[in-house]
Amino acid sequence: MLIPRQKTPNLTLPLVGGGTFDLAAEGSERGTVVCFYRGLHCPICATYLKELEKLVEAFAERGVTCVAVSSDGEERAKDMAEKIAATGLRVAYDLPLDVAKDWGLYISTSRGKTSIGIEEPALFSEPGLFMVSPEQALYYGSVQTMPFVRPHFSELLGALDFAIKNDYPARGEYTGAV
């Protein structure tokens, strides 16, 4: 389990359109939103990422960068970027599943074709949403066992505004005896 205020695992992946996403080298003023999604096969992921795409600029106005990440290969990641009309949202691919586990993501096995007729990979990670500080420490995290009922990006923006205004620290950092 990741601990708030502690360093997150490293994350360096290729990006659709070229280049590399390197969390350690992001250099944003207030951090990075890392949105792990299931893959091209997931219609809920496409809807969710479209919402994030619409808010990338609003996050940037607050000094926060955004990236969407999956274990899909390059072609499937390109197809997802096209499907969601990604212009501001970076889409990273080839997430190794052992790295997904390091982030605390759940791993699922394929059930064949989904409702949209796309084959699920043999293994893939379930969703996770993280806000990582510029120092690569965990600020916020949410992981899921299913594609349903995800955190809303508009609420994350509101929480970010509150945190900036009130210098609100990451919570959940206590690891001692209870």
Side-chain angles (χ1 to χ4, degrees):
M1 173 168 64
L2 300 183
I3 305 298
R5 303 184 196 173
Q6 301 295 318
K7 187 179 182 297
T8 65
N10 290 322
L11 191 61
T12 305
L13 300 167
L15 290 167
V16 168
T20 301
F21 171 80
D22 182 359
L23 183 59
E26 266 299 271
S28 59
E29 179 187 359
R30 290 205 171 92
T32 304
V33 169
V34 181
C35 180
F36 292 96
Y37 70 99
R38 301 170 86 224
L40 179 65
H41 66 275
C42 178
I44 297 170
C45 292
T47 300
Y48 194 58
L49 294 178
K50 284 179 187 177
E51 180 187 343
L52 181 55
E53 167 64 31
K54 291 177 188 172
L55 295 174
V56 166
E57 189 174 312
F59 279 105
E61 289 168 0
R62 291 157 176 85
V64 175
T65 58
C66 300
V67 65
V69 176
S70 81
S71 60
D72 276 349
E74 183 176 12
E75 286 307 311
R76 286 173 66 113
K78 281 181 184 178
D79 289 348
M80 180 61 94
E82 188 175 297
K83 180 184 266 190
I84 66 167
T87 57
L89 179 60
R90 295 172 294 169
V91 178
Y93 58 93
D94 283 345
L95 172 69
L97 292 178
D98 62 328
V99 174
K101 287 182 91 173
D102 290 345
W103 279 83
L105 301 178
Y106 293 93
I107 308 299
S108 289
T109 58
S110 177
R111 293 181 39 95
K113 287 190 177 182
T114 62
S115 62
I116 57 173
I118 297 175
E119 189 77 24
E120 291 181 344
L123 296 172
F124 59 92
S125 65
E126 291 295 339
L129 182 64
F130 299 88
M131 173 76 188
V132 181
S133 76
E135 299 78 32
Q136 202 180 332
L138 179 65
Y139 186 78
Y140 165 86
S142 174
V143 296
Q144 296 173 252
T145 62
M146 295 198 159
F148 314 111
V149 194
R150 300 183 195 197
H152 294 281
F153 296 113
S154 58
E155 291 177 8
L156 184 56
L157 271 173
L160 185 56
D161 288 340
F162 178 87
I164 292 167
K165 179 180 178 186
N166 295 287
D167 196 26
Y168 199 79
R171 303 309 312 264
E173 76 288 355
Y174 181 76
T175 59
V178 293

